[in-house]
Amino acid sequence: MKRVEKEELVGVKEIARRANVSIATVDRVLHNRTGVSEKTREKINSIIRDLDYQPNLLARRLASRKAIRFAILIPRISEETNFWEAPLNGIEQAEAEIKAYGIRIDKYFFDQNDKHTFVQQTQQMLKTDLDGVLLAPSFIEESITFTRECQKRHIPYIFIDSDIPNQESLSYIGPDLYQSGYLAGHLINYLFDTGQVLLVNISREIDQDHHLLRKEEGFRSYFQHISSPKQILKIDIRQTDYPSIKGHLSAMLAKHADIKAIFVTNSRVSSVAQYLQEAGTTDKLLVGFDYLQENIDYLKNGTIDFLICQKPREQGYRGLMALYHTMVQHAPVEKQYFMPIDIITKENQAFYRN
Amino acid sequence: MKRVEKEELVGVKEIARRANVSIATVDRVLHNRTGVSEKTREKINSIIRDLDYQPNLLARRLASRKAIRFAILIPRISEETNFWEAPLNGIEQAEAEIKAYGIRIDKYFFDQNDKHTFVQQTQQMLKTDLDGVLLAPSFIEESITFTRECQKRHIPYIFIDSDIPNQESLSYIGPDLYQSGYLAGHLINYLFDTGQVLLVNISREIDQDHHLLRKEEGFRSYFQHISSPKQILKIDIRQTDYPSIKGHLSAMLAKHADIKAIFVTNSRVSSVAQYLQEAGTTDKLLVGFDYLQENIDYLKNGTIDFLICQKPREQGYRGLMALYHTMVQHAPVEKQYFMPIDIITKENQAFYRN
DNA sequence: CTGAAAGCGCTTACAG
DNA sequence: CTGAAAGCGCTTACAG
């Protein structure tokens, strides 16, 4: 039994020897620093290419006196929803894995109901020295203002949860919203033969809520693509407190006895479940979004039938790791990474990794 | 804008200073090496504890002259199925991510239909110097013989794909088979009201195939737990060539006109789909396992309705990373990591990451 | 049982 | 524009 030595790889020393320069000069070329004559730069570069030189990242990080700094900007966990706890956990896991390599993460949070806090936080971030940003661009205009500034400063950034196309982001990691809605249509179409489907949007900002609108679009398009005798009804609930939701639902269900299934376009499906349970209505199929504790409780007791989820934890984890892999490992990243669309039921929920 | 320096953490030098010894002695204590008096060992250990010393893994790997070596042992990709391509891809991705840190992976493959090749490969592995093993313990007896030897040599190992309980493995990463079958029962129960369900086992070794047996058990148990008018029929097909499968199916379906759904307990669902398609039978629900190209093709054209998958790629990736995290990062790992049970349909298949 | 010194492959001032 | 030297925080012979 003999110990295997590490492969003998070429390093700066060998390059320097071949180019007849010092390793400091090689280092300058490697990092595109100024102060090297064009001639020696070219010579060194060609040697680097010939040797297929791969820098030793271990040594690089060890020798470097400065930490690499990433910042993340996501919504604060609120009383309304703890959805953002999952991405935050994912971010913290990634942080734990890479902090041994000299990486520091600064975390910024904003209030989803207050654009101003978003702007404030981006301004705070720009006061620090950053090597990369991971953000949920909930407010489109404000996000663009921020990413423009990042571009100016050559700070790379990655979007999670929702995308703003054509903003030169390194990557987008999150759901394909249209397809999520389309899948919901497919699922519901399977579950019964004839009757009505009630689509429910619950949000204070339905008309600006990219998430809801795209999902509804996808959902409707499914039924256009098939020949189905199902009819789609819809309610928009802009007052998001429970009494208001209850009022809307009871009126709707009283009027339309033939509603067989209810599709809620976001995580507020738990409020609908609460109503159905209170009303003793057990014969309706209920489909909604997100693996939140309250939703899971209703899934377990059979009030909710299916939840569609998109691994928010993994979005956070992957987002930060993508930053790390590009900035530190110089590995390529996918421009768009759509999360799988997961269907959660009573039976598989215990095995779901959010 | 000022550059943030790395945090000033205590290192071996500081410990040595406080203990009034050289850093070599500190290193000996850190690695439980012999040749240190009990007195100084204790002194140094208490200082390490006081300071909550965290070794710099970067420096450790860089200074170490020897590579860390892991071995993996999984089935060879065969003409019968390329299922193992996915775990292998995951392993290779993990390898790419960690090889910069001085880790070498040796890959061993065996023939799923030949125990002897499994034994041969484990013997080969034991001739080398190993720091950890990731294996699919397909043959139980032979696996136990091997892991016993690993225990003797203090080589840690992790199981993927199927578990052998109580074998002191560092971790198991893979499906909970019983629950997968149970979920299939739930899904099928949703999809139609009354009629018969046909359960199909296709394998040369049905009676020893842990995978199939446990899934069938879970599936049946679902129907015992509910009051359902569904009747379960079953065929075991031990001749796994297509003509044989076709023969069995056509006989069965001719006899039982009331079969509404077919549940195939493994990835051979594509053969059943092929038969249904050829026979022009489009009114049966078809549920099976695994995200393989042939299965996806039938899913896309509507012959297969649902596939249950358990991220084989991720099993490979996580398996190797778990080895890395315990052996290099000294981070804790979960004793059992059950993969989520994913339901794949026509609509979400494009977003599935195998 | 213990320590001084070299070295892992880089980066970073500093000097010229 | 370029190089010699120190240093990042460890591990590894080697000497005593």
Side-chain angles (χ1 to χ4, degrees):
Chain A
M1 267 192 340
K2 50 190 168 353
R3 263 283 155 198
V4 167
E5 301 291 312
K6 284 182 191 174
E7 282 168 53
E8 292 298 322
L9 291 169
V10 285
V12 282
K13 224 171 359 190
E14 174 64 10
I15 298 171
R17 200 187 59 73
R18 296 202 189 199
N20 237 308
V21 297
S22 74
I23 58 169
T25 300
V26 174
D27 193 64
R28 286 183 187 101
V29 172
L30 242 20
H31 294 283
N32 277 315
R33 279 192 272 268
T34 54
V36 182
S37 77
E38 201 45 46
K39 204 162 143 250
T40 59
R41 184 181 296 277
E42 271 167 23
K43 189 193 207 168
I44 291 171
N45 267 329
S46 96
I47 293 171
I48 288 172
R49 253 175 280 125
D50 287 356
L51 261 37
D52 188 29
Y53 166 70
Q54 303 291 354
N56 183 321
L57 301 178
L58 246 36
R60 190 172 266 187
R61 292 300 314 138
L62 181 63
S64 169
R65 295 311 221 284
K66 46 183 164 340
I68 289 181
R69 293 184 74 190
F70 295 141
I72 64 116
L73 176 61
I74 58 174
R76 189 185 313 289
I77 300 162
S78 68
E79 334 72 58
E80 270 177 53
T81 166
N82 59 354
F83 175 85
W84 284 94
E85 197 179 338
L88 183 57
N89 284 338
I91 285 164
E92 282 168 346
Q93 192 201 324
E95 180 181 15
E97 286 181 18
I98 61 182
K99 83 165 165 219
Y101 303 122
I103 317 252
R104 294 291 97 92
I105 314 293
D106 298 325
K107 305 191 187 72
Y108 296 83
F109 302 96
F110 63 90
D111 180 344
Q112 284 193 82
N113 295 315
D114 185 357
K115 287 183 189 197
H116 189 59
T117 61
F118 182 90
V119 175
Q120 257 178 344
Q121 294 294 68
T122 58
Q123 284 165 353
Q124 280 307 114
M125 291 162 82
L126 288 171
K127 284 185 194 152
T128 67
D129 192 10
L130 252 31
D131 299 297
V133 178
L134 176 69
L135 78 158
S138 305
F139 302 109
I140 301 191
E141 285 311 315
E142 291 71 11
S143 296
I144 291 178
T145 306
F146 172 64
T147 56
R148 287 256 165 76
E149 187 56 33
C150 287
Q151 283 177 52
K152 224 183 272 169
R153 301 189 190 188
H154 302 287
I155 302 170
Y157 46 89
I158 291 178
F159 294 136
I160 54 170
D161 187 56
S162 69
D163 196 15
I164 308 180
N166 306 115
Q167 290 307 308
E168 304 290 317
S169 72
L170 223 52
S171 180
Y172 163 65
I173 292 163
D176 182 323
L177 300 166
Y178 182 89
Q179 281 292 338
S180 303
Y182 192 92
L183 172 70
H186 180 63
L187 208 53
I188 281 177
N189 188 48
Y190 255 110
L191 301 180
F192 63 98
D193 290 332
T194 56
Q196 296 173 320
V197 184
L198 177 62
L199 185 148
V200 184
N201 288 321
I202 305 176
S203 166
R204 279 191 243 167
E205 309 272 9
I206 291 172
D207 308 299
Q208 301 168 46
D209 197 322
H210 198 55
H211 259 255
L212 303 198
L213 299 178
R214 291 287 290 161
K215 286 182 209 162
E216 177 173 344
E217 215 179 307
F219 185 80
R220 290 184 180 279
S221 102
Y222 178 79
F223 290 97
Q224 279 155 20
H225 291 350
I226 58 154
S227 58
S228 164
K230 279 132 186 155
Q231 190 198 342
I232 301 175
L233 304 173
K234 165 177 168 178
I235 20 178
D236 283 342
I237 303 179
R238 290 183 168 77
Q239 302 252 56
T240 65
D241 55 304
Y242 179 66
S244 158
I245 293 171
K246 177 178 173 171
H248 277 95
L249 286 174
S250 62
M252 200 71 187
L253 295 177
K255 216 177 342 176
H256 303 277
D258 200 30
I259 290 176
K260 296 273 178 56
I262 302 176
F263 172 50
V264 185
T265 52
N266 63 11
S267 64
R268 297 302 302 273
V269 61
S270 57
S271 300
V272 177
Q274 184 183 345
Y275 168 72
L276 293 182
Q277 184 168 297
E278 282 178 17
T281 311
T282 58
D283 62 335
K284 313 255 180 264
L285 284 163
L286 184 54
V287 177
F289 285 87
D290 296 340
Y291 189 93
L292 300 179
Q293 191 52 55
E294 56 244 20
N295 289 349
I296 295 304
D297 292 341
Y298 287 114
L299 192 68
K300 280 189 191 163
N301 77 19
T303 313
I304 294 177
D305 295 278
F306 291 98
L307 284 172
I308 297 172
C309 310
Q310 308 227 228
K311 300 199 190 354
R313 190 180 201 285
E314 199 177 319
Q315 287 181 41
Y317 177 80
R318 282 192 177 273
L320 197 47
M321 287 312 253
L323 223 38
Y324 168 71
H325 282 131
T326 25
M327 297 291 93
V328 182
Q329 312 255 41
H330 298 283
V333 267
E334 294 175 65
K335 211 40 195 119
Q336 292 200 66
Y337 186 99
F338 289 134
M339 298 305 293
I341 301 174
D342 299 323
I343 307 171
I344 311 302
T345 70
K346 206 174 175 171
E347 276 68 34
N348 69 357
Q349 55 86 13
F351 303 94
Y352 191 62
R353 310 275 164 166
N354 204 23
Chain B
M1 267 194 340
K2 50 189 170 349
R3 262 285 156 196
V4 166
E5 302 292 312
K6 285 182 189 174
E7 282 168 54
E8 292 298 321
L9 290 168
V10 285
V12 283
K13 220 163 16 181
E14 174 64 11
I15 297 171
R17 201 186 58 72
R18 295 205 189 196
N20 237 309
V21 296
S22 73
I23 57 169
T25 300
V26 174
D27 193 63
R28 287 182 186 102
V29 172
L30 241 20
H31 295 283
N32 277 314
R33 279 192 273 267
T34 55
V36 183
S37 77
E38 201 45 46
K39 204 163 143 252
T40 59
R41 184 181 296 277
E42 269 168 24
K43 190 192 207 171
I44 290 172
N45 268 328
S46 96
I47 292 172
I48 288 171
R49 253 175 281 123
D50 287 355
L51 260 39
D52 188 27
Y53 167 69
Q54 304 291 356
N56 183 321
L57 302 178
L58 246 36
R60 189 172 267 187
R61 292 301 313 138
L62 181 63
S64 169
R65 296 311 221 286
K66 48 180 163 343
I68 289 180
R69 293 183 77 191
F70 295 141
I72 64 116
L73 175 60
I74 59 173
R76 187 187 313 289
I77 300 162
S78 67
E79 333 72 59
E80 270 177 55
T81 167
N82 59 355
F83 175 85
W84 283 94
E85 196 178 338
L88 183 58
N89 284 339
I91 285 165
E92 283 168 345
Q93 193 201 323
E95 180 182 14
E97 285 181 17
I98 62 183
K99 81 166 166 219
Y101 302 123
I103 320 251
R104 294 292 96 92
I105 315 293
D106 297 324
K107 304 189 188 75
Y108 297 83
F109 303 96
F110 62 91
D111 180 344
Q112 282 193 84
N113 293 316
D114 184 357
K115 286 183 190 198
H116 189 58
T117 61
F118 182 89
V119 175
Q120 257 179 345
Q121 294 295 68
T122 59
Q123 285 166 352
Q124 280 306 116
M125 291 163 82
L126 287 170
K127 283 185 196 153
T128 68
D129 191 11
L130 253 32
D131 298 296
V133 177
L134 177 70
L135 79 158
S138 304
F139 303 109
I140 302 193
E141 286 312 314
E142 291 72 11
S143 296
I144 291 178
T145 306
F146 172 64
T147 56
R148 287 256 165 77
E149 187 57 33
C150 287
Q151 284 177 51
K152 223 181 272 170
R153 302 189 188 185
H154 302 287
I155 302 171
Y157 46 89
I158 291 178
F159 293 136
I160 54 170
D161 187 55
S162 69
D163 195 15
I164 308 181
N166 305 117
Q167 290 307 308
E168 304 291 316
S169 72
L170 222 54
S171 180
Y172 163 64
I173 292 163
D176 182 323
L177 300 166
Y178 181 89
Q179 282 291 336
S180 301
Y182 192 92
L183 172 69
H186 180 63
L187 208 52
I188 281 178
N189 188 47
Y190 254 111
L191 300 181
F192 63 97
D193 289 330
T194 55
Q196 297 173 318
V197 184
L198 177 61
L199 185 148
V200 184
N201 288 321
I202 305 175
S203 167
R204 280 191 241 168
E205 309 271 11
I206 290 173
D207 309 299
Q208 301 169 46
D209 196 322
H210 196 57
H211 259 256
L212 302 197
L213 298 178
R214 291 286 290 161
K215 286 181 207 162
E216 177 174 342
E217 215 180 305
F219 184 81
R220 290 185 181 278
S221 102
Y222 177 80
F223 289 97
Q224 279 154 21
H225 290 349
I226 59 153
S227 59
S228 163
K230 278 129 184 158
Q231 191 198 342
I232 302 177
L233 304 173
K234 165 177 167 177
I235 21 176
D236 282 344
I237 303 179
R238 289 183 168 78
Q239 303 252 56
T240 64
D241 55 303
Y242 179 66
S244 159
I245 294 172
K246 176 177 174 171
H248 276 95
L249 286 174
S250 62
M252 198 72 187
L253 294 178
K255 217 176 344 173
H256 303 276
D258 200 30
I259 290 175
K260 296 273 177 57
I262 302 175
F263 172 51
V264 184
T265 52
N266 63 10
S267 63
R268 296 302 302 272
V269 61
S270 57
S271 300
V272 177
Q274 184 184 345
Y275 168 71
L276 293 181
Q277 185 169 296
E278 282 177 18
T281 311
T282 58
D283 62 334
K284 313 256 180 262
L285 284 162
L286 184 54
V287 177
F289 285 86
D290 298 339
Y291 188 93
L292 300 179
Q293 191 51 55
E294 56 245 20
N295 289 349
I296 295 303
D297 291 342
Y298 287 115
L299 191 69
K300 280 189 190 162
N301 78 19
T303 312
I304 293 177
D305 295 277
F306 291 98
L307 284 172
I308 297 172
C309 310
Q310 307 225 230
K311 301 202 190 345
R313 189 179 202 286
E314 198 176 319
Q315 288 181 40
Y317 177 81
R318 282 191 176 274
L320 196 48
M321 287 311 254
L323 224 38
Y324 168 72
H325 282 131
T326 25
M327 296 291 92
V328 184
Q329 312 255 40
H330 299 283
V333 266
E334 293 175 66
K335 235 346 214 152
Q336 293 199 84
Y337 186 98
F338 288 134
M339 299 306 293
I341 301 174
D342 299 323
I343 307 171
I344 311 302
T345 70
K346 206 175 175 170
E347 275 68 34
N348 69 358
Q349 54 86 15
F351 303 95
Y352 190 61
R353 311 274 164 168
N354 206 24

